[in-house]
Amino acid sequence: AITEVIAARSEWQARIETAEGTYGTERTRIQGAVDTDVADRVELANTQAQGHLDEGQRQAETRQTEVETEATRRRAEADRRRAEADGFFDWVSSRVSAFFQALKDGRRTFVTYAIDGAKKLAAAAIETGRQAIVGIIRIHGAALETAADIFLAEFPAARDWAKDRIREGTRLAEEGVNAAAEALREGVFALLDGLGAALEF
């Protein structure tokens, strides 16, 4: 009996060590996948952010050129009208106010471009972060399921129960991340809208 117990114990220990080795290899592979995935998402976020910044700068420069061109045209028009006007005050009331209104409208458009660009940048950053976190959750969920498959292979009922709990935990974690990302997006948008209204005012 002692001999059989010792043999059974040795066999069980060998199986545990084999399972630990298998899981260690799998965990290393999964961790490498996590690191690569996060690095890829960070690189993508940086590329997207730079793209939004470049586009915002291009739009701002274009709009600034349009405003300056329009201002020059209106100044020339005002000078011509002033030469033809009957009196100085007629020119002031009819032309200068229109000139400054054009500048004000141009500045408002510039603010709109800036706020829209900031929204796109914020939305892209939040979405990239959300995807990265969800990806990490899923990968670690998969690692836990792999552990259950390896270590609970001899106990199907326990294995299935554990995997069900893991999947439910993963689902709840994803929902929490999605809700947090949406709340953050709405909060940032509200802040930027308020800033835009203040700047326009």
Side-chain angles (χ1 to χ4, degrees), residues 10 16 22 60 83 105 108 112 114-115 138 152 159 181 185:
S10 298
I16 289 294
T22 302
D105 292 341
R108 283 178 176 170
T112 299
I115 295 299
R138 290 177 179 175
L152 299 176
R159 180 197 60 204
R185 189 186 67 82

Side-chain angles (χ1 to χ4, degrees), residues 39-51:
D40 290 344
R41 290 178 188 276
V42 169
E43 182 178 357
L44 175 62
N46 288 336
T47 300
Q48 290 178 336
Q50 188 60 50

Side-chain angles (χ1 to χ4, degrees), residues 10 12 22 34 56 73 78-79 96 147 160 171 184 198:
S10 298
W12 179 251
T22 302
V34 171
R73 187 190 69 76
D79 289 341
V96 172
D160 294 343
R171 183 185 67 80
L184 179 60

Side-chain angles (χ1 to χ4, degrees), residues 62-167:
T62 299
R63 184 55 188 169
Q64 185 66 25
T65 300
E66 293 174 352
V67 169
E68 291 174 353
T69 301
E70 179 65 11
T72 300
R73 187 190 69 76
R74 286 181 177 271
R75 278 197 298 269
E77 177 67 13
D79 289 341
R80 187 182 68 80
R81 294 283 186 177
R82 180 175 60 178
E84 299 173 355
D86 293 334
F88 175 74
F89 292 105
D90 290 338
W91 173 76
V92 170
S93 62
S94 64
R95 303 305 169 194
V96 172
S97 60
F99 168 70
F100 282 106
Q101 182 62 43
L103 284 180
K104 183 169 65 174
D105 292 341
R107 294 301 179 185
R108 283 178 176 170
T109 303
F110 179 82
V111 169
T112 299
Y113 278 136
I115 295 299
D116 286 346
K119 282 184 175 180
K120 290 178 181 177
L121 178 60
I126 291 170
E127 175 60 16
T128 300
R130 186 196 68 80
Q131 291 180 5
I133 295 172
V134 168
I136 291 172
I137 289 171
R138 290 177 179 175
I139 289 173
H140 282 289
L144 290 173
E145 288 194 45
T146 299
D149 285 333
I150 293 172
F151 290 108
L152 299 176
E154 300 296 327
F155 310 99
R159 180 197 60 204
D160 294 343
W161 179 88
K163 292 178 71 171
D164 286 343
R165 299 291 76 74
I166 292 167
R167 289 167 184 163

